[in-house]
């Protein structure tokens, strides 16, 4: 009895090690999709895979299935985390969101999947609406805390504003006429909502501003941007 078990476990260890070494992305996706299981939590599995060179992409309402999948990213096989791994979303809703892809915007997603505000918030917090996978040349709206305002001498009057939220930074380009129209709110507000055209070139994402509005945040009063340095 002990001998038969040792042979079985040795075979499992060998097969698992082989898959993890030669097909690390597929191995991780399979482990995530088999949760809950074993001793290691999903976060631990993801961190270990990243240490071994696996590219793990976060959940995205237009790119993710309900479960973890494989996709090509920058010439490599990457693991795309499923919508079902976003807390409080649940299996049924994750399947519904995945089946309805693609979505034009957040309002489209909310209407078609009957999402409530708390569900939209957890998706946003998880980065599932990330401005990085959005289609370029579309009109989008972003919001965040102002971290920098810059006016290079060689930019012909164009102002560059950096906005930050919990998912990262985005560079906002304000042409001279747009800056003149919204200069007061753009220079006095600690946080902004900016509507404009999304640009992506050689991996860099920018927003060409068309409209700038103040964004009220309770914590923003404690923050100070690095302006025109």
């Amino acid at each position: 009895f002990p001998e038969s078990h040792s042979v079985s476990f040795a075979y499992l260890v060998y097969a698992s090690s082989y898959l993890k070494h030669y097909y690390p992305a597929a191995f991780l996706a399979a482990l995530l999709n088999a949760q809950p299981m074993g001793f290691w939590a999903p976060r631990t599995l993801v961190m270990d895979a990243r240490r071994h060179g696996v590219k793990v992409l976060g959940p995205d309402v237009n790119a993710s299935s309900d479960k973890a999948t494989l996709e090509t990213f920058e010439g490599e096989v990457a693991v795309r985390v499923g919508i079902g791994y976003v807390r409080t979303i649940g299996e049924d809703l994750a399947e519904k969101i995945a089946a309805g892809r693609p979505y034009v915007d957040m309002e489209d997603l909310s209407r078609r999947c009957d999402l409530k505000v708390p569900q939209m918030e957890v998706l946003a917090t998880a980065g599932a609406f990330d401005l990085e996978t959005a289609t370029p040349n579309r009109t989008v709206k972003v919001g965040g805390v102002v971290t920098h305002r810059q006016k290079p001498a060689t930019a012909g009057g164009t102002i560059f504003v950096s906005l930050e939220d919990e998912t990262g930074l985005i560079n906002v380009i304000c042409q001279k006429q747009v800056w003149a129209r919204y200069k007061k709110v753009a220079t006095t507000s600690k946080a902004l909502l900016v509507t404009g055209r999304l640009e992506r070139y050689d991996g860099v994402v920018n927003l060409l501003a068309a409209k700038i509005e103040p964004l009220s945040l309770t914590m923003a009063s404690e923050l100070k941007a690095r302006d025109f340095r």
Side-chain angles (χ1 to χ4, degrees):
F1 182 79
E3 183 178 351
S4 64
H5 273 60
S6 66
V7 172
S8 297
F9 277 107
Y11 179 77
L12 289 174
V13 169
Y14 175 80
S16 298
S17 299
Y18 181 91
L19 291 172
K20 183 177 181 180
H21 181 75
Y22 290 103
Y23 304 97
F27 183 72
L28 173 63
L31 287 180
L32 292 177
N33 291 338
Q35 295 295 318
M37 61 166 287
F39 182 78
W40 304 110
R43 177 176 175 81
T44 303
L45 296 173
V46 169
M47 291 176 63
D48 176 73
R50 282 176 167 159
R51 283 195 297 269
H52 287 84
V54 177
K55 182 69 176 180
V56 182
L57 307 175
D60 186 298
V61 294
N62 279 338
S64 293
S65 179
D66 55 314
K67 297 183 179 297
T69 55
L70 300 179
E71 65 179 72
T72 301
F73 181 82
E74 296 181 348
E76 299 181 7
V77 178
V79 177
R80 171 71 69 177
V81 175
I83 292 294
Y85 282 98
V86 178
R87 59 185 176 87
T88 76
I89 291 299
E91 184 177 339
D92 292 341
L93 182 54
E95 291 178 354
K96 184 176 181 180
I97 293 173
R101 296 173 293 168
Y103 300 96
V104 176
D105 51 29
M106 295 171 65
E107 182 180 357
D108 182 37
L109 171 68
S110 176
R111 176 178 52 81
R112 289 167 52 195
C113 294
D114 192 28
L115 298 185
K116 309 304 180 187
V117 172
Q119 295 166 326
M120 296 292 286
E121 288 179 343
V122 296
L123 286 170
T125 302
F129 302 124
D130 201 335
L131 288 162
E132 293 178 2
T133 56
T135 305
N137 298 320
R138 284 185 48 204
T139 298
V140 299
K141 179 183 283 189
V142 302
V145 174
V146 180
T147 61
H148 296 78
R149 298 180 182 90
Q150 301 177 65
K151 186 179 181 181
T154 58
T158 298
I159 306 293
F160 299 91
V161 179
S162 296
L163 297 182
E164 182 177 19
D165 65 5
E166 66 275 8
T167 66
L169 286 164
I170 187 168
N171 186 46
V172 178
I173 302 173
C174 302
Q175 295 178 322
K176 183 186 296 186
Q177 64 272 24
V178 173
W179 185 258
R181 187 182 311 147
Y182 298 104
K183 182 176 180 179
K184 183 176 181 180
V185 63
T187 54
T188 60
S189 299
K190 301 286 188 178
L192 297 171
L193 283 173
V194 181
T195 303
R197 179 165 57 85
L198 187 71
E199 296 182 337
R200 184 186 292 112
Y201 178 75
D202 197 22
V204 178
V205 180
N206 296 316
L207 184 66
L208 185 62
K211 182 180 180 181
I212 303 175
E213 305 169 83
L215 175 62
S216 177
L217 293 177
T218 55
M219 63 168 289
S221 60
E222 306 171 7
L223 304 174
K224 183 176 179 58
R226 295 170 60 85
D227 289 345
F228 308 112
R229 299 184 183 184

